[in-house]
Structure formats: C-alpha cells, structure tokens
Amino acid sequence: KAGVTQTPRYLIKTRGQQVTLSCSPISGHRSVSWYQQTPGQGLQFLFEYFSETQRNKGNFPGRFSGRQFSNSRSEMNVSTLELGDSALYLCASSGYQETQYFGPGTRLLVL
Amino acid sequence: AQSVTQLGSHVSVSEGALVLLRCNYSSSVPPYLFWYVQYPNQGLQLLLKYTSAATLVKGINGFEAEFKKRETSFHLTKPSAHMSDAAEYFCAVSDRRGAQKLVFGQGTRLTINP
C-alpha cells in the first residue's frame, strides 16, 4: 500500500498570505489528523477529520481550518499567515480504531 | 487531560551500548501509549504501541518498551545501539484505541557515538 502523501513538501510564503496544504491518506483510511511541529512547541494536534466531518479540534486559532473530501483526502488552510506559523505540518491517517500513520510533512516558511 | 514527559531532551550512547529513553505519562483513563521515531526531514514512523494487552511491547528495529502502571512510565529500550538509531524519538499518549488525537512528549534526540 502506498503511504500517506503530502503536497507540497516545501513552501515559502510571506506574512498576511494564506496557504493550503494537501494530504492523501493511505487507501481505505477514513480518518485524517493534522499536527504542527515547531522547535519551541513540539508536536501539537490541530484537528481530525472522519467521513468529511471534523471530529476533534486542538487549541489553535480560527485562522487554521481544514476539510475532508469524499475520497478521504484532506486539506488544511492557514489564513493571514504569521511568522510563528513557520513549522512542519504533519498529516496522519488511520483506519477504524487503528494506529496513525504519518506522512513526510510539509515544511512551511513564513517570511 | 493527558500529558507526556520525556526525561532528557538529548541522550548520547556508544555504539553497542544499551539505549534507554524515558517516558512518563499522565492520564485520567487507561492510556494507549506509542513511541514514534523521526529521522531528519521525514515524518514520524511508529516503533511500537501499547494497547492494554501485554505490558512488554516489542517493536521494530529491536526496540521494546514496558508499560508500568504504578510508575506511570513507558520507557523505550534497545539492548545494543546501532549508528542507524540516531534520530529523534517521541512518546505519545491517547485515551482511545483509535488514537486519532495524540498528545506528544517534547522528544528525545538520540546520538550514537562510534
């Protein structure tokens, strides 16, 4: 089975812009979770989608949003980018009540 | 609320020596515990998981971990370190078998000395 894929792998944006990241889960997985990884805050849970519905949400401002499509692919969007949004964004997918498998991440740099 | 504390942000061992990475958790319900490894510029790879079956869990690459409820610990060990084990290791906890919302520790960077 192909693993979790994330696009793009690297991204450079400037403050105030918005960005959309994409995640394709492992075939058959219906749950997709997103995490932000920074040197200062470590790995933090953003949100989880299951069957196109947000099922869990972390403690991030409303500038961070996501969605899931009928084929389980997911996107996350960050609006009005801030310097502090520079991070590695990781997506993970899982089957029903199973372990999460992570993608390689999208590294976002905000200038 | 759940939390994880990894003792030691950096651990250095010699090749062939024992690897011990410490993880303590806090959870108000029976936890599910995980160890992930991250190599440079990569995502997280699952090493092993505890899901309330055997307390001694064996994972990939010769790693294992023991769930100790009284000590609220889930330390990761490997009898003999290899150069390829150099990476960052994360302990994580979840309150549901599905583990869709993981709470991670701050990570431990493991260095292997030749």
Side-chain angles (χ1 to χ4, degrees):
Chain A
K1 270 186 182 179
V4 177
T5 58
Q6 293 187 244
T7 56
R9 292 293 311 277
Y10 302 92
L11 207 48
I12 300 175
K13 293 286 187 179
T14 56
R15 279 181 299 174
Q17 288 186 311
Q18 75 165 14
V19 66
T20 299
L21 312 182
S22 180
C23 172
S24 293
I26 292 171
S27 177
H29 285 186
R30 294 170 63 189
S31 171
V32 174
S33 297
W34 289 88
Y35 294 83
Q36 181 196 63
Q37 184 177 22
T38 60
Q41 299 299 315
L43 279 154
Q44 293 184 288
F45 173 79
L46 279 157
F47 30 64
E48 182 230 349
Y49 286 86
F50 180 83
S51 292
E52 303 179 64
T53 300
Q54 188 180 87
R55 193 160 66 171
N56 280 297
K57 188 176 189 303
N59 189 27
F60 277 81
R63 298 186 298 107
F64 292 82
S65 63
R67 60 177 176 170
Q68 186 179 34
F69 302 95
S70 58
N71 62 358
S72 294
R73 189 177 71 85
S74 177
E75 290 181 347
M76 69 162 282
N77 184 276
V78 188
S79 62
T80 319
L81 284 165
E82 301 177 358
L83 295 179
D85 297 333
S86 294
L88 179 67
Y89 290 88
L90 292 164
C91 163
S93 76
S94 63
Y96 180 68
Q97 291 188 337
E98 291 182 359
T99 304
Q100 290 188 60
Y101 295 91
F102 284 80
T106 294
R107 189 166 295 280
L108 171 66
L109 176 61
V110 182
L111 300 177
Chain B
Q2 298 176 303
S3 66
V4 172
T5 301
Q6 290 184 239
L7 301 174
S9 57
H10 291 87
V11 170
S12 180
V13 302
S14 298
E15 191 174 17
L18 171 72
V19 175
L20 170 61
L21 304 182
R22 301 177 188 272
C23 171
N24 287 89
Y25 69 89
S26 173
S27 178
S28 57
V29 298
Y32 299 106
L33 295 158
F34 306 80
W35 275 101
Y36 284 87
V37 61
Q38 186 176 36
Y39 298 100
N41 299 314
Q42 294 188 26
L44 301 176
Q45 180 183 8
L46 178 69
L47 278 176
L48 49 81
K49 60 182 178 182
Y50 166 75
T51 55
S52 74
T55 56
L56 182 61
V57 181
K58 294 188 183 297
I60 62 171
N61 301 339
F63 285 95
E64 63 181 36
E66 186 173 7
F67 172 71
K68 293 186 176 181
K69 184 177 179 180
R70 280 191 183 180
E71 300 172 17
T72 62
S73 69
F74 190 57
H75 302 332
L76 181 71
T77 60
K78 181 174 180 177
S80 178
H82 192 272
M83 295 299 291
S84 62
D85 294 328
E88 189 147 19
Y89 292 78
F90 293 92
C91 181
V93 65
S94 170
D95 64 0
R96 293 192 295 178
R97 182 179 297 275
Q100 275 77 27
K101 180 179 178 180
L102 292 170
V103 174
F104 285 90
Q106 285 295 101
T108 297
R109 183 167 299 279
L110 177 64
T111 302
I112 311 296
N113 302 312

